[in-house]
Amino acid sequence: NAAIAFTVSGGPLDTPFRFSTVLTNIGGSYEQSTGYFTCTVPGLYFFTFHLVKKRKSPLIDLCGCSLGKNANSVGIKAFIDPSGEADYGSYGVSNGAYLYLNKWDTVQLVDCTPSDSFESWSSFSGVLVKADNAAIAFTVSGGPLDTPFRFSTVLTNIGGSYEQSTGYFTCTVPGLYFFTFHLVKKRKSPQIDLCGCSLGKNAKSVGIKAFIDPSGQADFGSYGVSNGAYLYLNKGDTVQLVDCTPSDSFESWSSFSGVLVKADGAAIAFTASGPIDYPVRFGTVLTNIGGNYNQNTGSFTCAVPGLYYFSFHLVKMRAEPRVDRCGCSLGKNAVSVGIHASIDPQDPGADPGADIGSYGVSNGAYIILFRGDTVKLVDCSSSNTFESWSSFSGVLLKAY
């Protein structure tokens, strides 16, 4: 079990944020009583957090946290404020970063809004990617600057494969990579109503997109969308954000990250997109190294026991106010593990014409699997309004 990883959920309880449920804590480096992860093995780590807030009234209108290292924000934030007169419902925001930690460095969520309105589906996760410097990974933030999207802050660039002047990551070591992006947009007026980018390989979209358009007359505030995918790259391949909307309204909390998962073909990973029916199956299989994802059933079946990471990003285009629910849970052996992503920007008492547009929610978890265990999305709302940009991914991090 030479791995270090954790996933906690159950709703933030207080400040500093602590979670009531510890789903995974391999290595024991996450301390539930303090909410801190303490590094005992120096190396490259990946941290993600997904915050979900149910809006019981328009007066409860803030949701946010930042990723903190040694009690100081690193500038990676997830925040939402759908302020207005018709913002009942539920919303989710996500972000994450690769950080190099030295022994006894701590990581936790900081600068958080009051926790009394966070849902138990919220989660916080971290994993040791590589226990030394022989890694390739990057995280950039600071707000997209132009097209192609470039970022003003390079938080991590181990291996030097991300070029800030162009916004491109260029593969120098062929293998399996994982890319994620989190876009945050503050809405200063209803006329500023688009937020989106696609993940591009060699300057062409691979069909993985994060997009939001909360169009209407009561959609001031801020919103966040996320997506990601596992891609196999050959030497010289480039990855960047493409097909982006104008960047002048993106917040500096937005981020783009990538990491080399495995430098050869001996890997297990999948990314599928485009849900087509219920139970949720996906029409496009972008990556299926190892062949353990079954498109016909929508299930991943474990053939190699070990520690896995699963993530899902759901996007829903709202063509009419009556289409008002979007959600799924992560299921192990057909039973939810309590990691849920849901959105419902609609309430009978709210303005029925103010929630048209599109919204996205995300979540994920580290889970130990034994041979024959299955993982799929369960407890899903009707999928006929999900967009093809939605995705479901998983990867073997450590074989036991």
Side-chain angles (χ1 to χ4, degrees), residues 9 50 59 89 92 106 123 125 129 134 146 150 176 179 195 226 255 348 360 364:
S9 65
H50 309 273
L59 301 179
T106 61
S123 67
S125 299
V129 177
D146 49 24
R150 302 179 295 174
L176 176 68
F179 296 92
C195 168
S226 307
S255 67

Side-chain angles (χ1 to χ4, degrees), residues 71-94:
N72 295 315
S73 171
V74 299
I76 299 296
K77 185 174 182 178
F79 181 80
I80 193 168
D81 176 14
S83 54
E85 295 302 321
D87 54 359
Y88 290 82
S90 60
Y91 301 82
V93 286
S94 307

Side-chain angles (χ1 to χ4, degrees), residues 182-300:
H182 309 273
L183 304 176
V184 183
K185 185 172 185 184
K186 184 169 286 188
R187 300 184 53 74
K188 301 174 178 63
S189 73
Q191 288 79 21
I192 306 174
D193 62 358
L194 295 174
C195 168
C197 281
S198 294
L199 187 65
K201 177 181 175 182
N202 298 328
K204 295 182 179 180
S205 171
V206 298
I208 299 296
K209 185 173 182 179
F211 181 80
I212 194 168
D213 176 12
S215 54
Q217 295 304 310
D219 53 357
F220 290 81
S222 61
Y223 300 81
V225 288
S226 307
N227 218 329
Y230 293 92
L231 299 177
Y232 190 88
L233 300 183
N234 294 307
K235 191 172 183 178
D237 283 343
T238 60
V239 175
Q240 64 286 321
L241 298 184
V242 299
D243 302 336
C244 299
T245 53
S247 63
D248 53 9
S249 58
F250 280 91
E251 295 302 302
S252 61
W253 317 319
S254 302
S255 67
F256 177 36
S257 299
V259 67
L260 172 64
V261 177
K262 191 76 173 178
D264 54 44
I268 295 176
F270 75 92
T271 290
S273 63
I276 52 177
D277 53 21
Y278 183 88
V280 175
R281 299 181 295 174
F282 291 80
T284 300
V285 177
L286 184 62
T287 303
N288 194 14
I289 298 175
N292 299 119
Y293 177 79
N294 188 323
Q295 187 179 15
N296 293 328
T297 64
S299 293
F300 172 88

Side-chain angles (χ1 to χ4, degrees), residues 88-393:
Y88 290 82
S90 60
Y91 301 82
V93 286
S94 307
N95 217 329
Y98 293 93
L99 299 177
Y100 190 88
L101 301 183
N102 294 307
K103 194 170 185 178
W104 310 130
D105 281 343
T106 61
V107 175
Q108 64 285 324
L109 299 184
V110 299
D111 303 335
C112 300
T113 53
S115 64
D116 54 8
S117 56
F118 280 91
E119 295 301 301
S120 62
W121 316 319
S122 302
S123 67
F124 177 37
S125 299
V127 67
L128 172 64
V129 177
K130 191 76 173 178
D132 54 43
N133 276 317
I136 297 175
F138 74 92
T139 290
V140 292
S141 65
L145 300 178
D146 49 24
T147 300
F149 269 14
R150 302 179 295 174
F151 290 79
S152 60
T153 301
V154 177
L155 183 62
T156 303
N157 194 16
I158 298 175
S161 298
Y162 179 82
E163 177 54 53
Q164 187 179 17
S165 64
T166 63
Y168 283 16
F169 171 87
T170 302
C171 174
T172 57
V173 178
L176 176 68
Y177 288 77
F178 181 47
F179 296 92
T180 56
F181 53 111
H182 309 273
L183 304 176
V184 183
K185 185 172 185 184
K186 184 169 286 188
R187 300 184 53 74
K188 301 174 178 63
S189 73
Q191 288 79 21
I192 306 174
D193 62 358
L194 295 174
C195 168
C197 281
S198 294
L199 187 65
K201 177 181 175 182
N202 298 328
K204 295 182 179 180
S205 171
V206 298
I208 299 296
K209 185 173 182 179
F211 181 80
I212 194 168
D213 176 12
S215 54
Q217 295 304 310
D219 53 357
F220 290 81
S222 61
Y223 300 81
V225 288
S226 307
N227 218 329
Y230 293 92
L231 299 177
Y232 190 88
L233 300 183
N234 294 307
K235 191 172 183 178
D237 283 343
T238 60
V239 175
Q240 64 286 321
L241 298 184
V242 299
D243 302 336
C244 299
T245 53
S247 63
D248 53 9
S249 58
F250 280 91
E251 295 302 302
S252 61
W253 317 319
S254 302
S255 67
F256 177 36
S257 299
V259 67
L260 172 64
V261 177
K262 191 76 173 178
D264 54 44
I268 295 176
F270 75 92
T271 290
S273 63
I276 52 177
D277 53 21
Y278 183 88
V280 175
R281 299 181 295 174
F282 291 80
T284 300
V285 177
L286 184 62
T287 303
N288 194 14
I289 298 175
N292 299 119
Y293 177 79
N294 188 323
Q295 187 179 15
N296 293 328
T297 64
S299 293
F300 172 88
T301 301
C302 174
V304 178
L307 174 67
Y308 287 78
Y309 178 60
F310 296 92
S311 59
F312 54 109
H313 308 273
L314 305 176
V315 183
K316 184 173 185 182
M317 181 80 72
R318 300 183 54 75
E320 56 178 324
R322 289 170 293 178
V323 184
D324 63 357
R325 297 185 62 196
C326 168
C328 283
S329 292
L330 188 64
K332 177 182 175 181
N333 297 327
V335 177
S336 171
V337 299
I339 299 296
H340 190 70
S342 175
I343 192 168
D344 179 9
Q346 171 64 36
D347 185 89
D351 177 1
D355 58 355
I356 303 177
S358 61
Y359 301 82
V361 289
S362 308
N363 218 331
Y366 296 93
I367 301 176
I368 295 175
L369 298 182
F370 295 98
R371 189 182 301 273
D373 283 342
T374 60
V375 175
K376 65 186 303 183
L377 298 184
V378 299
D379 302 336
C380 300
S381 53
S382 177
S383 66
N384 58 0
T385 56
F386 281 92
E387 294 301 302
S388 61
W389 317 319
S390 303
S391 67
F392 178 36
S393 298

